[in-house]
Amino acid sequence: MLPDAGSEDEEKWLAEGIAGLQHNAFYMHRALDSNNLRDALKYSAQMLSELRTSRLSPHKYYELYMRAFDELRKLEMFFKEETKRGCSVIDLYELVQHAGNILPRLYLLCTVGSVCIKSKETPAKEILKDLVEMCRGVQHPVRGLFLRSYLSQISRDKLPDIGSEYEGDGDSFIDAVEFVLQNFTEMNKLWVRMQHQGPVREKEKRDKERSELRDLVGKNLHVLSQIDGVDLDIYKDTVLPRVLEQVVNCKDELAQHYLMDCIIQVFPDEYHLQTLETLLSACPQLQPTVDIMTVLSQLMDRLSNYATSSTEILPEFLQVEAFAKLSNAIGKVIDSQPEMPIVGAITLYVSLLKFTLRVHPDRLDYVDQVLGACVKKLSGKPKIEDNKATKQIVALLSAPVEKYNDIDTALKLSNYPRIMDHLDNATKKIMAVVIIQSIMKNNTYISTADKVEALFELIKGLIKDMDEIQDEELDEEDFKEEQNSVARLIHMLYNDDPEEMLEIIQTVRKHILLGGPKRLAFTVPPLIFSALKLVRRLQAHEGDEVGEDVSTTPKKIFQILNQIIEALSTVPSSELSLRLYLQCAEAANDCELEPVAYEFFTQAFILYEEEVADSKAQVTAIHLIIGTLQRMTVFGVENRDTLTHKATGYSAKLLKKPDQCRAIYACSHLFWVENQDGIKDGERVLLCLKRAIRIANAAQQMANVTRGSSGPVTLFVEILNKYLYFFEKGNPQITSSAIQGLIELIMNEMQSDNSPSDPSADSFFSSTMRYIQFQKQKGGAIGEKYEPIKV
Amino acid sequence: MNYLIGAFKSPCNIKITFSDSKTRKQVSIKKENGQTTMVPLFQSQETIAGEVSIEPFHGKKVEHIGVKVELLGQIELYFDRGNFYDFTSLVRELDVPGEIYERKAYPFEFSTVEMPYESYNGVNVRLRYILKVTISRNYVSNIVEYQEFCVRNYSAPPTINNSIKMEVGIEDCLHIEFEYNKSKYHLKDVIIGKIYFLLVRIKIKNMELEIRRRESTGSGPNTYVETETLAKFELMDGAPVRGESIPIRLFLSPYELTPTYRNINNKYSVKYYLNLVLVDEEDRRYFKQQEITVFRLLE
């Protein structure tokens, strides 16, 4: 059957039903108006017969029911008046039972029953008991549910509750409770039965229909919760056990889930807290397919909200050992349902964890206990591949981090890393990133080596390659992102105490050295700088710590650094290593550790020689070397000579002439250091510069030969600038005539025909010239100095 | 025309009145022509007294060879319609032969009349009590007038009245246990009971309780059995599951029952049965019939 055709038919049936109902309602009204009881009963029964249909879906049936309901209100009014006119309500109660069809009969009976209770001629309890019992006659699920829902509706305001006008004379709220419980039980049975009727292939449709009806059943629980007489004791001894009995025994997934949820929602938190054991003990008895985790999460959510609502409540939680019970129950649920997917178990633990974090934020042991339980569950299982489960584990692991905003706390949880072990690599990384982000966000400094150790255990997914084959599609950018975050993290590992800090550095080193070639480039630099920072701190406090037996000395750190960089250089990541060596050398320089600095330089040079093959890289490297070397003050003459010699040597051996030239003129600075006791070897400066000019010339000629045009004059202008620099600094070897010569040389070159005009070179030169002009006009010592130079 | 009619018309008006007609309870009975009429109600051992008044039409006289009133208890079997079997026949002579010129009243009395059977109007049989006044005449037909009255006999509640309890079923299909609180019910009684479903493997659509009347008339080869369903009372709507128990509460008052009659004068019996019927979705009917005894309780 096509669904369209079906719904069309249904519309038709509904319309027919409504028409029939209205038709009979019309005659019923006429009978009511003329006070004709017999006809009123006849037509109302006929009217109600429309509700006997089996053709409507619950949704449509409801529409019909509501119309009947409205009509029954009028009938009820009539009955009430009828009793005032002297018709005995008891007779009326019998009279309506003469109807041959059960459904109309019971609707009428309920309606009269309502009048009967109101009249107080018969105790409410007896009427209610009778009605709820008689309604058993309707076993058809939908019709039964609506009938009982009608019963529930008309009786709601007539329950013999405490303080109600119907209380007393042996009627007590217990009867009210009993009545509602029974109606609830029967309704639930009917509701569950719907599931088993009709063909299997319509299961989905049935599920939907059942969901539409669930509130009819749940309403009873709501009524129960509204009965004033239901105090904690009654709830504990009667209501809850009975309701749970029904929930468990109905063995229906949908019902169990919905009703557990209902129980949790409608009754006060206080009751839940005090009956936690009972409530929880039902959980393992539910069907394995029941989404117990949502139920329990709801409960825990509510409880934790309750706990946080007032401080006075918290002791209660301790008193009833809420945590232990919940934890116990969850364990049982998981044990009792071996079929439960792992994701379910983990979700439960997540909820429990959240509960713990909210209710007992101070009980780290609880948190660890939860995690431990989860570990136990996961142990012996293969790594989780289920996406949802993974997500839940991430949630589980993120919860404490978020709660405490302090990774420190999480690091104290011994089971934390054990859970991470169960994640797949990708997720491990995600988790690691989460942790790192938390640290960054909260600016948490990790201050002991132990914690660092733990932390690295947690984020090891980022630190080293996992044993399995790495997935090829690993995105380069993601990888960079991850490693950058690790790099940032390294800066958060800090302790004021140098010794501890050294420990931290050692620990970090241990871990990052396992990282493999790709990671070292990211992780080594921050570590180096972190260590260098420590060195500088030691340096600053050197005075204070004299006499103490300090194991943390710059020297020692440098040793470590050396090893680290060495590891990096073998990766190979020679350029980076070289830079780091130079950084270290500079730091050693500041610590006045000549041998150390020398060693670093040596290493740098070795790297340069052996590893830096690319000409561009060489240029960069040599400039770095020169720059660093220039700033070194710690070296004795001999060492310095060796190193400068090396540097100039390498400079001259660069591949391209312009590079050579530039390196050489840069080397000139090695012989002229502008500080108090820096060397000022003017002669060698000049030598360098002259050599630079020579090379520039050679470059020019080479250009002539190869391209037929001489190269730009940029090199010469650059050299001219160097001349001017040293000239100004007072290098006696640099004379104004030499400068003059150079200027002319440049001008010649520029005028020669075969030199291509290069606007940048031109402007460079002209601004240099302007500078000279400017200096000349300045007057004073400088002006005098420049005086001889003609432009 | 008028003359003609007048010639065959009874020349007088006969009226039979009961002496306690003002106070006596009247009940409605169905006459042969389908109309209902109210007649006085008696029970066995009562004295039936009254007066017969004969009033000749104006200016006429009634010649007769005797006037009598009879109390007859009659059974009429419809296969032999018109032939009344009198199981009771009492006569009172009211007048010796003579002539009646004007209204004349004759009191009569049948004291403590034995009327063991109740008036009954069935499908194939009827039992009635009449007072029959006959003015016997020579050469012309007798003038006859009837007055029917109703007899009902009451019984005390039975001393033993066991419940009916029974387990029935179809193997591996349906097992039920039902219980009716009594086996003997009075006419305004309520049947209380329940049906307990022990096993349900068929798809039941509904369940009803029928009250059936079984009237058997005649004897031997001429036995006629007529079964009427007087009540169809739905007990359950939908399919129950195992363990379900369904209440029964059936008020008998709305139905026109009579007491159970067993072998009335060897002519007929009227018995009542409760028939529990389960209907499945294919409209197959599964039923179990149980006889109940109905009696008239003294009100």
Side-chain angles (χ1 to χ4, degrees), chain A residues 52 93-94 97-103 105 109 130 133-134 136-140 143 186 189 193 197, chain B residues 194 203 205-206 232-241 244-249 251 253-255:
Chain A
R52 297 175 71 209
Y93 195 73
E94 183 194 319
Q97 293 187 65
H98 295 171
N101 282 319
I102 185 155
L103 197 69
R105 176 164 77 236
L109 192 64
D130 189 52
E133 184 63 27
M134 290 312 284
R136 278 174 186 276
V138 180
Q139 293 286 323
H140 184 277
R143 295 196 284 271
E186 293 300 326
K189 282 203 251 175
R193 201 179 299 165
Q197 294 184 345
Chain B
K194 71 168 116 189
K203 288 179 176 169
K205 197 163 71 177
N206 66 353
K232 267 178 187 264
F233 188 76
E234 194 181 21
L235 289 178
M236 183 182 74
D237 171 24
V241 292
E244 206 68 66
S245 81
I246 307 298
I248 304 172
R249 185 190 293 153
F251 290 92
S253 57
Y255 308 106

Side-chain angles (χ1 to χ4, degrees), chain B residues 121-216:
Chain B
N121 209 337
V123 184
N124 286 325
V125 65
R126 107 176 129 136
L127 185 151
R128 63 170 186 177
Y129 288 92
I130 51 170
L131 287 170
K132 182 180 176 188
V133 173
T134 313
I135 303 174
S136 312
R137 295 191 292 185
N138 271 328
Y139 316 119
V140 277
S141 61
N142 296 341
I143 302 169
V144 181
E145 179 66 34
Y146 305 96
Q147 169 66 50
E148 193 170 346
F149 63 92
C150 185
V151 172
R152 287 179 182 173
N153 288 323
Y154 303 93
S155 23
T159 43
I160 300 168
N161 196 351
N162 294 324
S163 64
I164 299 174
K165 204 169 181 178
M166 192 166 266
E167 196 182 317
V168 289
I170 308 161
E171 202 172 342
D172 294 331
C173 224
L174 179 72
H175 278 274
I176 61 170
E177 192 183 285
F178 63 83
E179 184 179 350
Y180 308 128
N181 60 338
K182 301 175 194 171
S183 50
K184 294 167 184 160
Y185 293 94
H186 63 80
L187 294 171
K188 306 271 184 255
D189 220 342
V190 194
I191 299 173
I192 306 280
K194 71 168 116 189
I195 296 111
Y196 187 69
F197 284 84
L198 300 166
L199 176 79
V200 191
R201 292 244 176 90
I202 50 173
K203 288 179 176 169
I204 295 172
K205 197 163 71 177
N206 66 353
M207 173 169 70
E208 50 194 31
L209 191 61
E210 294 176 343
I211 302 175
R212 315 185 86 195
R213 171 155 63 199
R214 194 160 162 275
E215 178 192 282
S216 63

Side-chain angles (χ1 to χ4, degrees), chain A residues 227-242:
Chain A
I227 297 177
D228 286 338
V230 177
D231 58 8
L232 183 58
D233 284 340
I234 297 292
Y235 178 75
K236 201 175 188 169
D237 298 338
T238 311
V239 176
L240 185 63
R242 292 274 298 276

